[in-house]
Amino acid sequence: MSMDNFRIPDKAIEFEALFAQMSENKKDDLDWKRGRAFCLVYYPGEEKEELIRKAYNMYFTENALNPMVFPSLRKMENEVVAMVANLLHGDEGVRGSFTSGGTESILMAIKSARDYMAKTKPEITVPEMILPATAHPTFAKAIKYFGVKGVYVEADKNYCASPKNIEAAITENTILIVASATSYPHGVLDPIKEIGKIAKERALLFHVDACIGGFMLPFVEIITNKEMPFDFRAEGVTSISIDIHKYGYAAKGASVVLYRTAELRKHQFTVYTDWPGGIYGSLTMVGSRPGGTVAAAWATLMGIGMDGYLDMAKKTWGATQLIKEYINQSTDLILMGEPAMTIVAFSSKTIDIFELADELSIKGWHFERLCEPAGIHLTISQIHEQYMSEFIADLDQGIKQVQANTIKQITNKIKVGVMRRLVQVLPEGLIAKIQSSFSGKAAVKSDRIAPIYGMLGVLRGTEDMDEIVLDLLDKLNTPSPKK
Ligand SMILES: Cc1ncc(COP(=O)(O)O)c(C=O)c1O
């Protein structure tokens, strides 16, 4: 395909026509304003969003790369990090950085851990990081980027990290333990206190990934009047990642990585003083940074306040209780683990959960499909207070539809069975098939993809599967031919 079709227009397009085209293009996107997104989007409502947009736009052009030039940005950035550290019970020794998201926060924490331990324990040449199988894939990225060996340990039957398994995996090369507060797939809280104790006793670093839970757990503690010391209250915790652009409701591109000591954070920074262009110092992965994300995060924290967050957390908690009650009384659905806050995952022993997922997708809902064991994941946010009853009604109807649809289920089972055999003899043909199913728009939008998920379960964790996903990423990130 020639890129000639994608020339920058010789003559600028009228702005009005452009916006009309963009609105038209958006028509197929997910309807998050009607609560259809059980992941990806955190919408605080119109009034708050207006505040966040305004703050973003005030710093739309400024670059947060050089803190000397925009002292107002530096002040806001430092205050955001300090407010977040305070939320997570950090003392005056705690230091942190503002980053572009959970991924960057985690990457920075692992890089700092690696470099800090290289200095303090130089005898370790192949550093190891122990992490539960449920840890976010960003840690797999860090393993690939930073040459740290990942030692994955099985979670317990409630999908929580197992201190016993972690302890058993410690070797003389271990530098770091990872746990989640909460985990993304099942929304369960790993036993941070117990793991922290192990880390402290064995003089290891311990990172808590609170990207998803950091702005929800503190409010659930207030709502339930039950302490969940997942943060710096737990001894042994040496770093934490926490996203403001998730349950903090800030504009996308806002997260914080915190360290228990300034010494640990220093290993995150990059300094290069031998450049003809001048002395270069950089805090995190990125160079130029949008001033807007910093300003918007600051305005979000200040403009929502603890009372605003508590109010939104109560709505979210209420919606979570509704779906949990529905699942608990259902004879078809099973709650996966014990959700610590407002993420719920469920599976089924009586029906094919991916068939049910298809029914819900067709009705316009968007959520995650979990593998091994198969399940449906919902990240509930404040907007779902208005839409949970509608979702439950569709869920109820979806279960009945799947039960009535036994013939289709049998057909799908046969398809999966055939594919299982094909995997053994014809992986390339299978790969082509799966790719074409996935790259079609219908499959991504709300077509029935249960059989594909069945097949993917067979290939999970294999090199074939990696190849399929690599090709898929390539396809999705190449423009489609213009009509
Ligand atoms: C627990 C956890 N860690 C890390 C991340 C990565 O965050 P981001 O997508 O902001 O890079 C996520 C995202 O959902 C998450 O849930």
Side-chain angles (χ1 to χ4, degrees):
M1 185 188 52
S2 157
M3 287 294 171
D4 281 353
N5 283 336
F6 294 96
R7 280 168 60 92
I8 295 169
D10 292 330
K11 222 172 158 337
I13 312 278
E14 288 288 330
F15 294 172
E16 222 167 277
L18 265 185
F19 285 119
Q21 188 187 331
M22 286 168 76
S23 301
E24 177 62 24
N25 291 350
K26 253 188 144 188
K27 268 186 6 209
D28 282 342
D29 288 356
L30 181 63
D31 193 1
W32 51 266
K33 251 195 175 163
R34 283 202 309 132
R36 264 50 186 168
F38 281 111
C39 53
L40 299 169
V41 174
Y42 299 78
Y43 177 56
E46 225 162 283
E47 203 189 0
K48 294 187 181 81
E49 194 179 76
E50 178 62 21
L51 155 87
I52 298 164
R53 272 179 203 270
K54 243 182 166 166
Y56 196 108
N57 283 339
M58 265 183 87
Y59 284 83
F60 181 80
T61 311
E62 277 82 352
N63 190 339
L65 170 65
N66 187 338
M68 307 299 184
V69 183
F70 305 108
S72 65
L73 263 182
R74 183 181 48 180
K75 181 171 180 294
M76 283 190 285
E77 184 164 346
N78 284 337
E79 286 181 8
V80 166
V81 173
M83 284 188 272
V84 172
N86 176 268
L87 179 72
L88 300 190
H89 301 90
D91 62 20
E92 66 290 346
V94 165
R95 296 286 184 279
S97 293
F98 187 93
T99 74
S100 60
T103 301
E104 194 183 3
S105 287
I106 290 170
L107 291 176
M108 289 294 79
I110 308 306
K111 186 246 179 229
S112 307
R114 182 197 65 179
D115 292 355
Y116 173 85
M117 286 304 240
K119 199 158 115 191
T120 51
K121 291 191 184 172
E123 65 281 9
I124 298 179
T125 52
V126 186
E128 292 175 8
M129 154 166 84
I130 301 173
L131 65 173
T134 49
H136 193 271
T138 297
F139 292 97
K141 221 180 217 184
I143 288 165
K144 291 184 186 186
Y145 286 2
F146 299 131
V148 174
K149 186 176 162 201
V151 179
Y152 283 91
V153 293
E154 250 186 72
D156 69 17
K157 62 180 188 336
N158 293 315
Y159 310 97
C160 289
S162 149
K164 195 169 109 243
N165 291 353
I166 287 173
E167 188 148 36
I170 296 174
T171 72
E172 57 196 16
N173 291 326
T174 307
I175 58 163
L176 171 72
I177 303 173
V178 167
S180 312
T182 66
S183 75
Y184 183 71
H186 312 101
V188 297
L189 178 60
D190 287 341
I192 305 299
K193 239 178 140 175
E194 289 89 325
I195 300 170
K197 210 164 152 248
I198 297 170
K200 192 159 189 223
E201 272 167 21
R202 308 291 283 260
L204 299 171
L205 297 175
F206 176 27
H207 181 80
V208 173
D209 179 10
C211 282
I212 191 104
F215 266 90
M216 182 51 78
L217 288 169
F219 301 98
V220 171
E221 290 189 76
I222 298 172
I223 294 168
T224 58
N225 201 16
K226 193 177 131 209
E227 273 202 28
M228 291 185 278
F230 66 95
D231 49 21
F232 287 116
R233 283 169 290 178
E235 272 194 336
V237 171
T238 51
S239 59
I240 307 179
S241 45
I242 166 169
D243 291 355
I244 319 178
H245 66 197
K246 292 192 172 77
Y247 283 118
Y249 292 93
K252 286 273 177 294
S255 172
V256 167
V257 56
L258 295 168
Y259 299 94
R260 197 174 282 270
T261 65
E263 181 57 21
L264 194 47
R265 183 179 68 163
K266 260 192 200 156
H267 292 80
Q268 175 188 287
F269 303 155
T270 303
V271 178
Y272 189 64
T273 54
D274 199 19
W275 185 42
I279 292 171
Y280 186 85
S282 169
L283 302 176
T284 57
M285 301 273 285
V286 295
S288 287
R289 294 183 295 141
T293 53
V294 176
W298 185 85
T300 310
L301 297 182
M302 300 296 283
I304 291 181
M306 290 298 278
D307 56 346
Y309 279 118
L310 182 58
D311 187 44
M312 289 199 285
K314 281 182 179 162
K315 289 182 182 170
T316 316
W317 181 255
T320 308
Q321 300 322 302
L322 282 183
I323 182 72
K324 271 174 72 179
E325 277 160 25
Y326 176 83
I327 296 167
N328 284 333
Q329 59 75 43
S330 163
T331 47
D332 297 293
L333 305 182
I334 306 159
L335 205 57
M336 299 172 86
E338 184 45 49
M341 45 169 219
T342 51
I343 290 176
V344 168
F346 56 93
S347 60
S348 176
K349 275 197 178 142
T350 58
I351 56 171
D352 183 334
I353 199 79
F354 292 145
E355 296 282 353
L356 177 59
D358 282 355
E359 295 301 338
L360 292 168
S361 294
I362 288 163
K363 292 180 200 306
W365 301 98
H366 185 78
F367 43 82
E368 309 279 15
R369 287 164 171 81
L370 304 177
C371 304
E372 299 289 308
I376 288 177
H377 155 116
L378 308 175
T379 296
I380 296 152
S381 60
Q382 69 90 27
I383 197 170
H384 295 116
E385 190 211 24
Q386 297 164 60
Y387 296 100
M388 193 48 94
S389 309
E390 224 180 294
F391 176 74
I392 290 174
D394 280 352
L395 182 60
D396 202 58
Q397 203 186 35
I399 294 171
K400 292 190 178 102
Q401 270 163 326
V402 175
Q403 283 163 340
N405 240 344
T406 44
I407 293 177
K408 183 162 62 61
Q409 280 183 49
I410 292 165
T411 320
N412 283 341
K413 280 214 174 89
I414 293 169
K415 279 194 214 159
V416 174
V418 170
M419 283 304 165
R420 253 175 227 273
R421 263 168 274 133
L422 272 179
V423 174
Q424 284 144 25
V425 290
L426 236 187
E428 276 172 30
L430 171 72
I431 288 164
K433 257 198 162 105
I434 295 178
Q435 273 170 353
S436 58
S437 321
F438 255 113
S439 51
K441 195 175 169 202
V444 176
K445 237 202 137 223
S446 52
D447 201 10
R448 294 177 188 277
I449 55 175
I452 298 169
Y453 265 85
M455 288 177 241
L456 295 184
V458 182
L459 289 174
R460 202 171 154 265
T462 65
E463 275 179 32
D464 282 347
M465 187 72 206
D466 289 1
E467 281 301 317
I468 291 170
V469 178
L470 284 176
D471 280 352
L472 174 65
L473 288 178
D474 180 57
K475 267 197 180 158
L476 287 175
N477 291 287
T478 306
S480 350
K482 274 193 178 169
K483 285 171 206 145

